[in-house]
Amino acid sequence: MTAKKVLVIDDSIMIRKMVKSILAGKYDVLEASDGKSGLDAARRAFPDLILLDFVMPKYNGYQTLQAIRRVEGLQKVPVIMISGLKEQVTEHVPEPFTEFDFLEKPFEADVLVARIQNFLTTEPSQPVSAATARSAPAVVRDLPRAEEPSLQMIVNRLTATETLLVQGIENLIQREVVARFNELNTRIDHQDQAINSLNQRMDKISEQIDHQNKGLMVILRELKVLQAK
């Protein structure tokens, strides 16, 4: 059976790779780094579900969603909007959300999978024949069930830790970028002040040269008068 397609539209490569890792083996995950490329990918692939970041350059998540809804065949595709702050979404789209579901970052792996499964219900499993059951390895039937929850708990904790780490790295990068921009703006301001000061000095020098030229013209006229006598 062909795996259902999930399109992840997020400008963070770390989030895209993390989602792809979480959904590996469950769904066919497609990636897009911004609203425009996400719209193009949706038109090409017609995914079964779209995971859409809200804060992106050029086009935010809601603008991208509106563009997707105008495409024939994508009007009813389920969309899960994701954002680090729900307030970022409610500033543009008041609650209750009717055009999309919402998931706040950072999210745990099991929460993401469960939310997607709510929209993409898998096909019921086929009954196992008696012959198949008899031929199955005994070790599979004898696996201790008590170990499954503990293993799942460890996986969930590791995934949650990875998500928090990704968010922390993103926040650190954002703060570093802002700090660099502020430093650059400060340097530009200082350079502008230096240029303005230099222009003022040039204006004064030009005025002085004009005065000196006028004085020289007066002297030349006086010399010509003396020579004429």
Side-chain angles (χ1 to χ4, degrees):
M1 183 178 62
T2 303
K4 293 186 176 180
K5 293 177 288 188
V6 175
L7 172 60
V8 183
I9 306 175
D10 197 308
D11 60 328
S12 168
I13 187 173
M14 291 181 289
I15 292 294
R16 298 199 307 272
K17 296 306 179 186
M18 183 186 66
V19 171
K20 191 168 186 176
S21 175
I22 292 172
L23 301 183
K26 302 180 181 69
Y27 303 102
D28 182 11
V29 181
L30 311 174
E31 300 179 44
S33 59
D34 55 56
K36 184 180 183 302
S37 61
L39 177 61
D40 293 338
R43 284 172 173 161
R44 291 193 305 268
F46 286 90
D48 298 285
L49 182 140
I50 297 174
L51 194 65
L52 179 59
D53 185 28
F54 186 81
V55 179
M56 293 187 295
K58 295 183 180 179
Y59 303 105
N60 64 34
Y62 188 63
Q63 291 170 322
T64 304
L65 174 62
Q66 290 176 312
I68 289 172
R69 291 300 189 223
R70 290 193 290 269
V71 178
E72 184 68 27
L74 296 176
Q75 287 89 347
K76 295 184 179 180
V77 61
V79 173
I80 301 177
M81 194 81 69
I82 56 176
S83 176
L85 292 174
K86 194 173 185 178
E87 291 77 7
Q88 294 173 329
V89 182
T90 55
E91 285 179 1
H92 297 78
V93 189
E95 293 189 89
F97 304 133
T98 57
E99 297 182 67
F100 55 86
D101 195 10
F102 178 77
L103 182 60
E104 188 167 5
K105 298 178 184 179
F107 44 78
E108 296 186 4
D110 55 345
V111 174
L112 175 65
V113 172
R115 194 70 66 87
I116 292 175
Q117 286 177 343
N118 285 339
F119 293 103
L120 305 181
T121 305
T122 57
E123 295 291 333
S125 58
Q126 296 296 325
V128 180
S129 65
T132 304
R134 285 195 298 271
S135 63
V139 66
V140 175
R141 296 194 299 270
D142 295 337
L143 275 177
R145 295 180 178 274
E147 293 182 6
E148 295 179 2
S150 60
L151 289 174
Q152 184 61 44
M153 186 181 301
I154 293 173
V155 172
N156 291 344
R157 288 179 178 176
L158 287 174
T159 305
T161 302
E162 181 183 16
T163 304
L164 291 173
L165 179 60
V166 168
Q167 291 295 314
I169 292 173
E170 284 192 326
N171 292 335
L172 180 61
I173 292 173
Q174 290 175 356
R175 288 196 297 270
E176 183 67 19
V177 169
V178 170
R180 293 296 183 185
F181 271 119
N182 290 337
E183 181 181 351
L184 182 59
N185 287 332
T186 301
R187 290 183 179 180
I188 291 173
D189 289 340
H190 289 164
Q191 289 177 352
D192 288 341
Q193 293 174 2
I195 291 172
N196 290 334
S197 176
L198 182 61
N199 287 334
Q200 290 174 0
R201 292 178 61 185
M202 292 294 293
D203 290 340
K204 290 181 179 179
I205 292 172
S206 296
E207 291 177 0
Q208 291 175 355
I209 292 173
D210 288 339
H211 289 309
Q212 290 175 355
N213 287 338
K214 290 177 180 179
L216 288 173
M217 292 298 294
V218 171
I219 293 172
L220 288 173
R221 283 199 299 270
E222 292 295 333
L223 288 175
K224 287 180 178 180
V225 171
L226 290 174
Q227 289 175 352
K229 292 180 179 179

